[in-house]
Amino acid sequence: MHWRSCPACPEQTGQSLTVESAKASTLAATKDAQKEFLITGIYKLQPPNGPTFSSSFPLRIQAPAGGLVIVVSMPIEQYVEHVVMAETGDFRNLAALEAMAVAARSYAKRFNGQHSKEGFDFCDSTHCQVFYWRSVTERIRAAAEATSGEYVSYQGKVAAAFYHQNCGGTTAAGSETWSQVSEPYLSVHPDPYCVSSGGLHWKTTLTREQIDRALGMSGFEPPQNWLKLEVSFRTSSQRVRTLNLSGGNPAGFPLSGSSLRSAVNRMFGWNKIRSDLYDLRNSGGKILFSGHGAGHGVGLCQVGAEEMARQGKTYKEILSFYYPGTQVSSSEGEAWQKRSDERFDLISTDPEADLSIFPVAERLLREAENDVGWRLPFHVRLQVFRTLDSYRDTTGQPGWVAASTRGQTIRLQPIADLRRRSILEPTLRHELYHLLVETRASRGTPLWFREGLTLYLANPTVPETTPSPMTADEIEEILKHGDTRENRERAYASAHPIVAALVKQHGKPALLGWLSDGLPADVLRSPALSPHNGANQQPPKKPH
């Protein structure tokens, strides 16, 4: 891990960094409390309370008095994965996940920079989109990658793709929640899918004193000794638009339904008044709410989307139902398309041109599986980017990394470019061996061993030596925490001969077994884990 306390400050390196927010009681303390840290490399963010987050995306920590501001910079596709992970709950159907990925990506594109005055684009709460800080599942990753670059558009512009948990059987118009939102695709219409299994019904009882406290905490001054809470006006979707507190001093006090819901839920819990779709009954100083649905009701209903997917609807059909009149567009200029054969799925914007990768990939995978003695238990996804810029922007990888693997997906620079540089087959071979190694590697298997074994399997011929080879511990540190391109290539170059020496001493079958069984203790103490004498290796141009 590396950090700077300002963009022009010297870089520092270490295994840990503790940042605390000071209690600023003086001007000097305030200045010190505003200190900023710019962090690169692979790191793990571990607060005293709250979720941990491990990543290699650039991180900025600001330490104003009274708190910390954590800002992560990441490609939009990784952002979408974490949002879908947070927003989808227990979704079981892939098409619903894909629809949510497109909606979340659309929201991000449409409302990018909501917090620009504060120095970032989005917060991680329901004010923007909830963000799941831990790692995402393979299913979420697959849904995001299958729709990569796609968004909902209307008349050539990115749509305001709002979504919510449960519409209660009828979606709401955008203007019912936000007066400035009048898009025609955010309309009122019945949703039979949402209520196909009976719907979501809820009840809540509040006292007049509780409502007074909640309104007071939100800046309202309700009338003294009011007696009744009544609905005075409903929207076209039958949601509560305005209410009235009557019988007090003053005699009437109008209040919007969304203001009451926000005030009560902020004080007593966000499931107290779950939607504005409810009826009221006043009884003995208490107000009984009887409602259905959850959330504002605008746009995509998550419960309905899940039911549509269960019935066999595609993600595009789901999006068309909830955003009528829109279409799915792609930032690549044309939509990603999918082609499949027995072992691979190809995700490409020009699949007819990229289909030539199938026979190459099949041959290389067959050779690799025969070499190690086991098969990949899943379809491999090959995502081919149309341009180098789109590859870099989406994956977050620098241009010198020809391919990268996340989960079950190998992400490749344009095939024509890889062929022109004569590195398509070496790149693909390395990534396929990487998948085979990772499917067998136990959680504690050192990174230097996994990467070194992948390099050796893809190319058993050890490259010529290079100056300053590294020990296994040094390699592990760089691979875990990141470093410069030069040091990462030195780390890979050093791992390769170390594993080659272990193969020569113990045999390849033994090393393959160590992936799942763990490295023997005597091997971990072996001199073979030190650089070779007289090493002068040229770093292999590792594609991953």
Side-chain angles (χ1 to χ4, degrees):
M1 179 179 68
H2 312 274
W3 71 84
R4 302 174 189 269
S5 55
C6 69
C9 294
E11 185 176 82
Q12 301 182 60
T13 303
Q15 294 187 353
S16 64
L17 171 67
T18 301
V19 182
E20 296 181 354
S21 178
K23 295 181 179 178
S25 57
T26 66
L27 181 62
T30 302
K31 183 177 180 181
D32 183 65
Q34 295 284 348
K35 196 168 185 179
E36 181 177 71
F37 295 91
L38 307 172
I39 298 173
T40 57
I42 300 174
Y43 55 83
K44 183 177 183 181
L45 192 67
Q46 192 163 4
N49 298 297
T52 61
F53 178 67
S54 180
S55 178
S56 60
F57 297 121
L59 179 75
R60 186 170 83 246
I61 301 178
Q62 296 171 321
L68 297 177
V69 178
I70 311 297
V71 181
V72 179
S73 300
M74 63 173 59
I76 188 172
E77 293 303 326
Q78 274 65 63
Y79 171 76
V80 168
E81 290 177 6
H82 287 271
V83 169
V84 175
M85 187 74 184
E87 295 279 9
T88 55
D90 57 354
F91 273 26
R92 296 182 179 180
N93 296 283
L94 179 60
L97 291 173
E98 291 172 337
M100 267 302 303
V102 176
R105 188 180 296 107
S106 305
Y107 187 97
K109 290 175 71 69
R110 172 67 178 259
F111 299 107
N112 185 29
Q114 283 196 136
H115 291 274
S116 58
K117 292 182 179 179
E118 300 161 79
F120 53 92
D121 295 315
F122 296 107
C123 66
D124 62 352
S125 73
T126 54
H127 176 267
C128 294
Q129 297 190 103
V130 180
F131 185 94
Y132 190 89
W133 284 91
R134 298 184 178 92
S135 60
V136 300
T137 65
E138 180 56 33
R139 292 180 68 249
I140 300 293
R141 184 176 293 119
E145 290 177 345
T147 62
S148 179
E150 295 183 350
Y151 59 92
V152 182
S153 67
Y154 181 75
Q155 295 184 348
K157 296 182 179 180
V158 182
F162 294 104
Y163 52 88
H164 58 279
Q165 182 182 347
N166 187 309
C167 71
T170 305
T171 63
S175 58
E176 294 183 26
T177 300
W178 306 281
S179 59
Q180 73 277 18
V181 176
S182 58
E183 277 76 359
Y185 51 83
L186 299 176
S187 58
V188 178
H189 63 82
D191 182 2
Y193 302 103
C194 176
V195 293
S196 64
S197 60
L200 172 63
H201 301 272
W202 54 268
K203 292 184 178 180
T204 289
T205 300
L206 296 170
T207 64
R208 289 199 295 261
E209 290 77 12
Q210 286 177 313
I211 291 177
D212 278 344
R213 285 174 55 201
L215 292 175
M217 287 295 292
S218 291
F220 295 95
E221 294 184 12
Q224 296 180 358
N225 302 317
W226 59 273
L227 298 176
K228 294 181 69 177
L229 176 65
E230 299 173 303
V231 176
S232 54
F233 187 74
R234 291 184 182 272
T235 67
S236 55
S237 69
Q238 295 305 299
R239 287 170 169 80
V240 174
R241 171 162 283 173
T242 56
L243 305 114
N244 187 53
L245 298 173
S246 61
N249 183 23
F253 184 82
L255 181 71
S256 72
S258 59
S259 294
L260 176 66
R261 179 161 60 96
S262 177
V264 168
N265 289 350
R266 186 177 291 115
M267 171 157 283
F268 299 112
W270 291 100
N271 283 334
K272 207 68 175 175
I273 301 178
R274 302 194 66 173
S275 74
D276 291 326
L277 204 55
Y278 57 78
D279 294 314
L280 287 176
R281 184 162 65 89
N282 292 263
S283 177
K286 296 180 179 180
I287 297 89
L288 283 68
F289 295 75
S290 178
H292 46 284
H296 50 63
V298 180
L300 182 145
C301 170
Q302 292 175 322
V303 170
E306 175 75 343
E307 175 60 21
M308 289 184 72
R310 191 191 69 80
Q311 294 185 22
K313 306 294 185 183
T314 68
Y315 74 97
K316 290 185 178 180
E317 290 175 316
I318 294 171
L319 294 169
S320 179
F321 177 77
Y322 287 110
Y323 308 110
T326 65
Q327 63 182 14
V328 174
S329 301
S330 173
S331 56
E332 285 280 332
E334 52 184 321
W336 288 95
Q337 300 179 54
K338 180 180 176 181
R339 300 288 188 273
S340 301
D341 71 357
E342 186 179 350
R343 302 298 306 277
F344 293 91
D345 295 327
L346 171 66
I347 310 297
S348 168
T349 60
D350 190 1
E352 304 311 316
D354 292 333
L355 279 174
S356 60
I357 199 173
F358 274 157
V360 178
E362 289 165 355
R363 172 173 55 81
L364 294 175
L365 180 57
R366 184 169 59 251
E367 292 172 356
E369 289 177 334
N370 290 338
D371 184 28
V372 299
W374 63 80
R375 285 171 58 89
L376 287 176
F378 49 78
H379 250 57
V380 179
R381 287 190 295 274
L382 302 172
Q383 185 176 17
V384 179
F385 287 84
R386 184 168 59 90
T387 65
L388 178 59
D389 285 344
S390 64
Y391 169 82
R392 286 188 297 216
D393 293 345
T394 302
T395 66
Q397 296 291 337
W400 57 272
V401 177
S404 62
T405 296
R406 293 189 80 239
Q408 299 171 11
T409 301
I410 298 174
R411 306 174 298 180
L412 296 149
Q413 291 184 14
I415 289 179
D417 291 352
L418 298 179
R419 282 204 168 104
R420 178 176 50 79
R421 293 151 58 193
S422 301
I423 60 171
L424 175 60
E425 287 203 17
T427 297
L428 197 50
R429 180 183 294 110
H430 177 94
E431 300 303 326
L432 290 170
Y433 270 116
H434 178 80
L435 284 174
L436 285 163
V437 166
E438 291 303 314
T439 58
R440 284 296 179 97
S442 62
R443 192 167 187 174
T445 306
L447 278 172
W448 69 261
F449 180 72
R450 284 147 51 190
E451 293 290 352
L453 183 59
T454 298
L455 286 164
Y456 174 83
L457 292 171
N459 181 17
T461 302
V462 178
E464 295 183 2
T465 55
T466 189
S468 305
M470 299 177 176
T471 66
D473 288 343
E474 291 170 335
I475 298 168
E476 189 75 6
E477 184 67 20
I478 286 175
L479 296 182
K480 274 187 176 180
H481 302 290
D483 213 308
T484 63
R485 172 181 178 178
E486 178 184 4
N487 282 342
R488 287 179 67 86
E489 289 186 339
R490 280 182 55 216
Y492 293 129
S494 300
H496 193 167
I498 290 176
V499 170
L502 291 173
V503 170
K504 185 175 181 180
Q505 182 179 358
H506 300 276
K508 187 167 70 174
L511 271 70
L512 296 175
W514 295 349
L515 280 172
S516 54
D517 299 338
L519 275 67
D522 60 330
V523 169
L524 291 172
R525 295 191 297 266
S526 170
L529 269 60
S530 298
H532 286 14
N533 293 329
N536 278 319
Q537 298 172 341
Q538 290 298 323
K541 300 303 181 183
K542 180 182 178 294
H544 168 59

